[in-house]
Amino acid sequence: MPSTARRPLLGVAVLTLLAAGIAGAAPALAHDAGPGGGGGHGRDKPGHETFAVIGDVPYGADQVARFPAWIDQINADPQVGLVFHVGDIKNGSTRCDDAYYRMIRTQFDRFTDPLVYTPGDNEWTDCHRANNGAYNPLERLAFDRSVFFDRPGTTLGAPARVSVPNAAYPENVQLRRAGVSFATLHVVGSNNDLQPWTGIGQTVATPEQVAEQEARMKASIASLRRTFADASKRHDRAVMVLQQADMFDPTYTPTPSDISAFRPLVQALAEETNRFRGDVYLVNGDSHIYNSDRPLAPGSVWLERYGVERPAAGLERITVDGSDNNKDWLKVTVNRPGAAQTLSWTRVPYAG
């Protein structure tokens, strides 16, 4: 979740009122304009591989109550064969207690397809806040791993094997479906946990905090580069990278303290995108509002902000709906070989 300086935290009461309108959501919204759009005829028809992406859910008591039915809806879709959760299993103003994590694990195990989950900041980075329980974030990170990554190399939900490039970071996984390589990266908001843990009395990042962030980012970049290298060797059609942090949040103008930690990753992503001959997609949560753009295209303000010397117009970024805007899940389909774009997607409203 973005830091409190950027966006006010929403209480459970507000979330309850907003979620009440979900039942009346509009029909599925197709991404049918611009690059990445699907549909059409012949080669642009969908293939036989479809997956779901969710994130920043469940937020607050009302969404927790609805979450089982939302899982059931995704399970009931016969086309979906894989699910990704891009982090934030709770909102930023509720407690980070053990029982909550175990409850979410129980719900995750109800998915009848393999579920790949990458942590968000709300489940560990921001747990220092008083209303979160004033936990030490690194202790919460260790607990999150013990609950959700107790079987490294095996998905949640329906068990399936995935590759773990670095055993110290079991949440960073790689997998491949229908000529598309996927990588989840543990990259989170709050400047990837470089913002001070003010709730437990810190005014600057601690040495332990900095060391953890630097090591985790190094591992994420190594996993990213390995994914692209493997995809190139196999002549894959596309690479998709999934993470929690929105490194290109269009809803505000960031300061260096908001995004400095992401700089080496964005530079690596630009380099790999420009080298790769297929399509490249970045999927994130964090900013909560569906968006599709090309953040490193020529003329983008993000090139200067991140010190990217060569634009990477081939990178398409998708932000999934979440938080109080969590009205739908993203249904992504791998199109047939020869299609103008490898992937197409549709926002599917929750049914109640």
Side-chain angles (χ1 to χ4, degrees), residues 5-343:
R6 291 163 47 189
R7 187 176 291 108
L9 295 172
L10 297 178
V12 170
V14 175
L15 288 168
T16 301
L17 291 172
L18 290 169
I22 291 176
L29 305 173
H31 176 71
D32 58 3
H41 302 282
R43 290 179 175 176
D44 285 333
K45 289 183 179 179
H48 301 289
E49 195 73 40
T50 297
F51 56 94
V53 185
I54 58 176
D56 300 270
V57 61
Y59 266 43
D62 187 72
Q63 289 193 15
V64 168
R66 293 170 180 257
F67 195 46
W70 294 345
I71 293 172
D72 291 343
Q73 181 179 343
I74 295 173
N75 285 342
D77 191 315
Q79 296 176 321
V80 172
L82 176 68
V83 182
F84 292 94
H85 189 301
V86 292
D88 274 10
I89 57 173
K90 57 179 285 296
N91 67 27
S93 58
T94 52
R95 292 183 61 88
C96 298
D97 295 335
D98 291 5
Y100 185 87
Y101 296 71
R102 295 191 177 106
M103 179 273 295
I104 294 295
R105 170 63 190 265
T106 298
Q107 291 303 316
F108 278 0
D109 282 340
R110 293 183 60 250
F111 278 100
T112 55
D113 298 302
L115 170 68
V116 179
Y117 155 71
T118 183
D121 43 295
N122 284 0
E123 46 262 45
W124 70 276
T125 301
D126 301 333
C127 292
H128 65 87
R129 297 170 181 168
N131 59 7
N132 280 231
Y135 285 94
N136 181 299
L138 296 186
E139 182 275 332
R140 287 293 83 185
L141 171 57
F143 185 72
D144 185 271
R145 285 180 173 140
S146 73
V147 171
F148 296 103
F149 304 97
D150 56 321
R151 298 177 298 169
T154 301
T155 64
L156 302 171
R161 296 299 299 168
V162 292
S163 176
V164 177
N166 186 331
Y169 300 91
E171 64 273 20
N172 285 353
V173 307
Q174 297 172 273
L175 62 151
R176 183 173 183 260
R177 295 285 183 95
V180 178
S181 283
F182 299 89
T184 59
L185 304 182
H186 189 172
V187 181
V188 298
S190 297
N191 199 21
N192 205 34
D193 193 37
L194 281 187
Q195 293 183 345
W197 299 337
T198 55
I200 54 175
Q202 302 297 331
T203 57
V204 297
T206 68
E208 295 81 7
Q209 186 178 355
V210 172
E212 188 283 328
Q213 190 281 143
E214 290 178 347
R216 180 166 42 83
M217 179 57 80
K218 182 179 179 180
S220 293
I221 292 173
S223 183
L224 176 81
R225 294 197 186 278
R226 173 177 165 172
T227 299
F228 274 97
D230 290 347
S232 294
K233 290 178 182 177
R234 293 188 296 247
H235 304 288
D236 282 347
R237 299 164 58 198
V239 168
M240 174 174 278
V241 179
L242 302 103
Q243 63 183 48
Q244 164 61 199
D246 185 348
M247 303 184 296
F248 311 102
D249 189 341
T251 65
Y252 81 117
T253 300
T255 66
S257 64
D258 294 317
I259 63 171
S260 60
F262 306 134
R263 186 182 179 95
L265 176 61
V266 172
Q267 291 178 354
L269 185 57
E271 293 170 3
E272 297 296 341
T273 297
N274 285 327
R275 276 197 288 260
F276 186 62
R277 300 186 66 177
D279 296 328
V280 180
Y281 303 91
L282 171 66
V283 179
N284 61 260
D286 195 24
S287 53
H288 306 154
I289 301 172
Y290 171 80
N291 183 42
S292 175
D293 60 12
R294 294 184 180 269
L296 298 180
S300 170
V301 297
W302 297 105
L303 298 172
E304 182 178 356
R305 288 172 180 171
Y306 284 119
V308 175
E309 296 181 356
R310 181 186 171 196
L315 174 68
E316 182 160 15
R317 187 276 297 265
I318 305 105
T319 300
V320 299
D321 285 323
S323 183
D324 57 295
N325 201 44
N326 186 57
K327 305 177 182 71
D328 51 67
W329 54 281
L330 197 70
K331 182 175 181 177
V332 186
T333 298
V334 181
N335 293 322
R336 296 178 183 177
Q341 295 290 326
T342 305
L343 303 181

